Amino acid sequence: MTTTPKDLKKEIADICKACGNDRSRLMDIVRDVQEKFGCVSDEAINLIASEVSVHRVEVESVVSFYAFLSKDQKGNFVIRVCDDIIDRQAGSDSIISAFEKELGINCGETTADGKFTLEKTPCIGMCDQAPAIMINDEIVTNLTADKAGQIISTLKESGDPKKLVAEPGDGNNGNPLVNSMVMNNIHQKGEIVFSEYVSGAALKEALSSSPKEVIRNVKAASLRGRGGAGFPTGMKWDFTRAAEGDKKAIICNADEGEPGTFKDRAILTECPDMVFEGMTIAGYAIGADTGILYLRGEYAYLRKFLEEKLAKRRENGLLGKNISPKKRLGGLLKSKSAFDFDIRIQMGAGAYVCGEETALISSCEGSRGDPKTRPPFPAQKGYLGLPTCVNNVETLACVVKIIEKGAAWFAARGSAGSKGTKVLSISGDCEKPGVYELPFGTTVSEVLEKTGAKDTAAVQMGGPSGTLVAANDFGRKICYDDLATGGSIMVFSRDRNLLEVVDYFMEFFIEESCGYCTPCRVGNVLLKDTLEKIINGKGLTTDISNLESLGKTVKLASRCGLGQTSANPILTSLQNFRTLYENLVKTDETGMNPSFDISKALKDSEKIAERKSVVYTTE
Amino acid sequence: MGKPKVATASLAGCFGCHMSLLDIDDKILKLVELVEFNKSPVDDIKKFTERCAVGLIEGGCANEENAHNLQDFRRNCDILISVGDCAIMGGIPAMRNGIPLQECLQKAYLEGPTIYNPTGKAPNGPDIPLLLDKVYPCSEIVKMDYHLPGCPPPAETLWQALVALLTDKPLDLPYELIKYD
């Protein structure tokens, strides 16, 4: 693709204009530029900056922050191999080698003809069909190394990643607008999320009562946030409603980046209408007219399908100006005061930290995905300064059922402190990895039995930021008061090296830390170094206590949820699998640190000076 | 039982921490009553002549001599204290850690704007200690028992710490002595 400077100027002016030359739409602008030109070059950054009237550094900081954006020219096809721990255990390394061999480049490079770029990327939400890769926006699942050659030749011949879809997946994955080989793998449907639902019915019900009544209902149902933290949804709505301001916003967090989580993928594929309806009800309840679905970049393959669902809802009078479902659905609804509400989709671009609500808001505003300092909380001052409520995809789906079936019906399900069901995404060493909607209070061993997991040594509950659970705790319950999870459950059998898993998780957090605060940016690196010292047999008994105290510091002193949970892999494995560490460390009597390697430390110097050390005998 | 023995060393430091120790002014007379110095730049004793109770280490380890010296201290002292930021985390000298060694030497001895070096080579010879690949904090090479932060730690901090240690009393540093902004 050759672009003259004049073309570039015009194309970029057009892209910016399509987004209203609006600084807050910078994410969309740079994503479009990246898609069109394969990079956001220095020149493009300058042009964008002048079109939307910001300093170039503001544009550059966005480009450098997100994994899917780059200043360097990428190939026409960017192959991103999912480098999650589950994918690694399923053989992603051999996939990378196969592509490296096929393309004649190393991972991280682009072929000389500018056609292919090969990269690794953290969890893309396909752990139930690992190993998986992304080719541009297209997902290819259940890969084996021997398929690499065929994939490359198909791409070379057809120039279209869609041609790789021999047979589309089940359910809406087969919808022409999705047409993806992704499988839903919904092995158990429940009464709440994956259940029968009539579009518009709950909204009609909600609009027939006052916003305060809607919130009272959600409170009475004891609905708590499904993202993992479990904050009472009704209370969050109340705060946002009570906050000062005529305009408010509701954001649906569909940035499920927690490795091992893919339940929102299934919900957005099969029940998007329900989620949008939940957002609309939330908008009505808190008095918002703006809705944003923040969709993670990895799920771009669902975008057109979701856009169409939104268009349909607008057509049916379920979104837009003066929403009144009675127009199409009939009924005795009395005309209330006008309720205007619309939803737009904000695409992410590959950043785990954007799942954190304040970082997500930064991203929606067209900035780096940096978390913000609280207070003010989003409910007071969030998206573009408006009081903002951020809810999880599943939470909003639950709202619809609460309105439809009533708070009492909902509250009758689940366990004492955790009402309703939880959609779980289960992956790893089990026969039937996939999505399960189970009532809260289900025990870990019941889950393992359902998924056909055998010889299980450990379960990572709630993703890397959660808890590594040992076999003697498999009787514990999945609920907010015991084992909380945003949905991710990874199963590890006795053959797995758990410390390697922990080490991978630390690598993940180091990569995904936004770098703003020192405890997280530096602390996680020190934690990983110490852990690797222990894994390599160079650790001392004191290193275990060092890990514990440093882990607590990182937890306590970090600015946002990422750093506050990033030490959990180490802290919870120390708690539940302490002997793994103790078997590797030595007790020290000499006071010499076994991890210091003088031969290695002097290697460069001896080479440069062309002589051996006279102080030490080195190798 | 004689007076407790104290040894000190400045590794990859600037001697600032040692100067801070001398800053205890007239308390230095009390110090001499309290302890006896062994290997230290203070009395210029080059080799340990007996086992010491306390070793005070200034600076991190930039070269093989630093590392060797520190290991020697560990073998000969009951308690080792990192004195100052360089000993604790490498400090200013550790700024070179992100730059390859060859590049550092090139810049320092050949390319710098004020350099006059007709040999065209970085200094080399058996009497010049080889540089380590990076500047190490002391605790990465041997076990350090205590750390006294500061650049340098104030004289009073050093004094209080030493007295507390030698009289076996808890160390109670007032806020002014451990605040650094």
Side-chain angles (χ1 to χ4, degrees):
Chain A
M1 185 180 1
T2 50
T3 321
T4 64
K6 212 175 155 191
D7 285 345
L8 185 69
K9 193 163 191 284
K10 188 179 174 305
E11 296 268 14
I12 285 182
D14 288 347
I15 289 172
C16 293
K17 205 172 166 196
C19 292
N21 289 341
D22 182 354
R23 190 243 168 280
S24 71
R25 300 284 305 278
L26 210 46
M27 275 292 278
D28 299 319
I29 295 171
V30 287
R31 270 191 66 99
D32 286 352
V33 173
Q34 175 81 36
E35 199 180 315
K36 190 138 204 162
F37 300 103
C39 67
V40 188
S41 62
D42 275 320
E43 208 187 338
I45 289 173
N46 283 333
L47 290 167
I48 296 169
S50 84
E51 288 295 333
V52 298
S53 310
V54 293
H55 284 291
R56 67 161 280 137
V57 66
E58 290 185 52
V59 184
E60 187 164 0
S61 68
V62 171
V63 176
S64 65
F65 187 84
Y66 297 92
F68 290 178
L69 304 171
S70 76
K71 275 169 77 171
D72 302 326
Q73 183 74 46
K74 292 281 158 99
N76 300 352
F77 303 107
V78 182
I79 301 175
R80 294 191 173 92
V81 181
C82 179
D83 187 33
D84 185 71
I85 187 71
I86 301 295
D87 288 71
R88 277 194 197 181
Q89 291 177 347
S92 62
D93 280 350
S94 68
I95 308 267
I96 293 173
S97 314
F99 277 115
E100 283 179 333
K101 212 174 130 204
E102 199 62 42
L103 296 168
I105 53 171
N106 291 321
C107 189
E109 294 176 353
T110 302
T111 53
D113 61 4
K115 280 217 165 81
F116 295 93
T117 300
L118 181 62
E119 287 178 355
K120 285 187 210 176
T121 190
C123 189
I124 61 171
M126 301 290 156
C127 290
D128 55 336
Q129 35 212 307
I133 62 170
M134 293 175 72
I135 300 174
N136 299 348
D137 290 344
E138 198 57 39
I139 311 277
V140 182
T141 60
N142 289 320
L143 262 185
T144 46
D146 56 322
K147 288 184 193 156
Q150 203 201 327
I151 288 175
I152 298 297
S153 58
T154 307
L155 290 174
K156 277 182 181 165
E157 279 160 30
S158 67
D160 180 9
K162 271 275 175 248
K163 289 278 185 294
L164 296 167
V165 184
E167 199 185 326
D170 56 339
N172 285 332
N173 291 304
N175 182 300
L177 291 172
V178 183
N179 187 24
S180 164
M181 70 168 78
V182 174
M183 295 293 290
N184 283 329
N185 288 332
I186 302 170
H187 294 304
Q188 179 148 1
K189 295 188 173 184
E191 292 177 285
I192 294 169
V193 178
F194 296 113
S195 60
E196 289 299 312
Y197 143 82
V198 183
S199 179
L203 179 60
K204 187 175 128 188
E205 178 74 30
L207 292 181
S208 69
S209 53
S210 75
K212 279 189 179 161
E213 277 164 3
V214 173
I215 296 180
R216 202 178 304 138
N217 249 329
V218 171
K219 275 186 174 170
S222 305
L223 176 64
R224 294 170 69 175
R226 272 16 183 187
F231 192 84
T233 308
M235 209 189 275
K236 207 186 231 184
W237 286 12
D238 229 1
F239 290 153
T240 320
R241 175 159 191 88
E244 273 178 45
D246 301 335
K247 281 181 164 290
K248 283 165 193 172
I250 165 102
I251 301 181
C252 173
N253 184 347
D255 190 56
E256 57 170 358
E258 192 71 42
T261 319
F262 44 84
K263 50 124 188 150
D264 291 345
R265 180 197 80 206
I267 297 173
L268 289 170
T269 308
E270 293 308 317
C271 332
D273 239 350
M274 200 166 166
V275 176
F276 293 141
E277 185 143 336
M279 281 179 81
T280 316
I281 293 169
Y284 175 69
I286 64 173
D289 62 354
T290 307
I292 300 175
L293 174 78
Y294 188 92
L295 186 64
R296 68 185 305 219
E298 289 81 350
Y299 292 168
Y301 74 100
L302 291 172
R303 185 181 179 172
K304 276 187 196 151
F305 168 70
L306 295 172
E307 295 278 14
E308 193 222 29
K309 289 280 168 203
L310 287 175
K312 277 239 170 78
R313 289 186 74 83
R314 277 182 209 114
E315 243 172 66
N316 292 339
L318 301 172
L319 276 180
K321 295 265 176 220
N322 203 1
I323 295 173
S324 52
K326 62 169 184 169
K327 269 194 278 189
R328 299 280 165 139
L329 296 161
L332 301 164
L333 181 66
K334 270 187 224 144
S335 182
K336 295 254 169 185
S337 59
F339 167 51
D340 302 340
F341 184 78
D342 209 337
I343 299 173
R344 76 170 170 95
I345 296 178
Q346 175 65 60
M347 291 304 302
Y352 166 75
V353 73
C354 287
E356 196 280 336
E357 62 175 0
T358 58
L360 184 142
I361 290 171
S362 298
S363 188
C364 288
E365 291 168 340
S367 301
R368 288 164 53 92
D370 281 334
K372 300 180 184 203
T373 307
R374 280 170 288 199
F377 288 89
Q380 298 147 346
K381 210 171 171 221
Y383 173 67
L384 299 177
L386 308 177
T388 303
C389 176
V390 183
N391 285 136
N392 183 265
V393 171
E394 188 185 344
T395 313
L396 291 162
C398 290
V399 166
V400 173
K401 277 286 145 169
I402 291 171
I403 301 299
E404 186 193 317
K405 302 257 187 180
W409 178 88
F410 187 88
R413 273 127 193 97
S415 67
S418 316
K419 301 301 182 193
T421 59
K422 183 78 195 84
V423 181
L424 302 170
S425 42
I426 301 162
S427 60
D429 298 315
C430 59
E431 277 166 20
K432 286 192 291 175
V435 178
Y436 294 75
E437 184 183 353
L438 299 170
F440 272 113
T442 307
T443 63
V444 178
S445 47
E446 280 164 0
V447 168
L448 292 173
E449 201 177 314
K450 271 186 195 301
T451 55
K454 291 193 185 74
D455 281 334
T456 306
V459 171
Q460 181 73 33
M461 186 64 68
S465 66
T467 310
L468 187 62
V469 182
N472 54 346
D473 280 334
F474 286 174
R476 288 177 64 183
K477 289 178 174 148
I478 296 169
C479 60
Y480 296 109
D481 308 317
D482 194 358
L483 285 171
T485 172
S488 170
I489 296 181
M490 295 187 234
V491 183
F492 299 111
S493 76
R494 290 187 202 286
D495 305 332
R496 305 295 183 190
N497 180 341
L498 291 178
L499 290 188
E500 253 172 36
V501 173
V502 174
D503 190 43
Y504 165 78
F505 288 159
M506 293 317 294
E507 185 187 324
F508 170 76
F509 285 125
I510 290 169
E511 185 60 36
E512 295 298 330
S513 166
C514 81
Y516 187 101
C517 71
T518 316
C520 174
R521 184 185 65 245
V522 178
N524 287 321
V525 176
L526 293 177
L527 284 172
K528 182 169 187 284
D529 285 353
T530 311
L531 174 66
E532 282 178 358
K533 217 167 106 180
I534 294 173
I535 291 176
N536 294 327
K538 305 277 189 192
L540 298 171
T541 35
T542 47
D543 285 319
I544 295 185
S545 47
N546 287 348
L547 278 178
E548 265 170 342
S549 75
L550 180 58
K552 281 179 194 154
T553 304
V554 172
K555 219 175 156 66
L556 179 78
S558 288
R559 187 162 171 255
C560 81
L562 191 153
Q564 284 155 14
T565 55
S566 63
N568 283 353
I570 285 183
L571 293 176
T572 64
S573 60
L574 270 172
Q575 200 181 357
N576 297 331
F577 295 90
R578 204 178 181 86
T579 47
L580 289 181
Y581 290 84
E582 284 170 347
N583 290 343
L584 290 172
V585 294
K586 296 183 189 78
T587 315
D588 167 62
E589 275 139 21
T590 62
M592 301 299 156
N593 198 331
S595 63
F596 178 63
D597 180 352
I598 187 70
S599 292
K600 196 174 146 255
L602 284 173
K603 208 173 158 197
D604 286 354
S605 228
E606 288 182 326
K607 204 172 145 202
I608 294 166
E610 295 176 327
R611 63 186 171 87
K612 284 280 177 188
S613 166
V614 287
V615 183
Y616 290 97
T617 346
T618 52
E619 280 158 19
Chain B
M1 204 174 75
K3 287 189 272 188
K5 315 288 181 296
V6 173
T8 75
S10 177
L11 307 176
C14 66
F15 267 93
C17 296
H18 273 78
M19 301 310 283
S20 189
L21 180 64
L22 297 180
D23 253 357
I24 54 175
D25 299 332
D26 58 341
K27 286 199 200 99
I28 199 139
L29 299 172
K30 280 192 202 159
L31 183 63
V32 175
E33 274 172 29
L34 197 65
V35 302
E36 186 181 317
F37 279 92
N38 198 277
K39 175 173 171 162
S40 167
V42 174
D43 53 16
D44 211 24
I45 296 178
K46 306 283 191 201
K47 285 190 172 153
F48 280 103
T49 56
E50 55 191 318
R51 189 161 182 83
C52 292
V54 180
L56 300 175
I57 307 291
E58 168 187 348
C61 292
N63 62 35
E64 55 179 346
E65 193 206 10
N66 297 152
H68 196 258
N69 204 352
L70 179 61
Q71 289 168 335
D72 196 29
F73 264 76
R74 183 70 271 180
R75 275 188 283 267
N76 285 286
C77 300
D78 296 338
I79 289 167
L80 277 192
I81 306 178
S82 321
V83 178
D85 291 348
C86 297
I88 294 172
M89 54 189 182
I92 301 279
M95 281 174 74
R96 79 159 159 97
N97 286 4
I99 305 163
L101 200 51
Q102 176 76 56
E103 226 173 278
C104 278
L105 291 169
Q106 193 83 6
K107 207 61 161 183
Y109 292 103
L110 303 169
E111 289 172 357
T114 59
I115 285 164
Y116 172 73
N117 181 359
T119 67
K121 284 178 185 164
N124 190 4
D127 50 342
I128 300 174
L130 291 172
L131 292 173
L132 303 180
D133 57 344
K134 59 171 190 175
V135 177
Y136 289 80
C138 293
S139 62
E140 284 191 15
I141 295 183
V142 302
K143 179 188 172 209
M144 302 301 291
D145 300 285
Y146 298 100
H147 303 273
L148 287 176
C151 185
E156 192 60 23
T157 307
L158 291 168
W159 170 252
Q160 299 271 358
L162 215 48
V163 170
L165 198 57
L166 295 170
T167 54
D168 205 18
K169 293 211 171 94
L171 175 59
D172 182 24
L173 289 174
Y175 176 66
E176 294 71 45
L177 291 184
I178 46 167
K179 100 179 219 304
Y180 299 100
D181 52 353

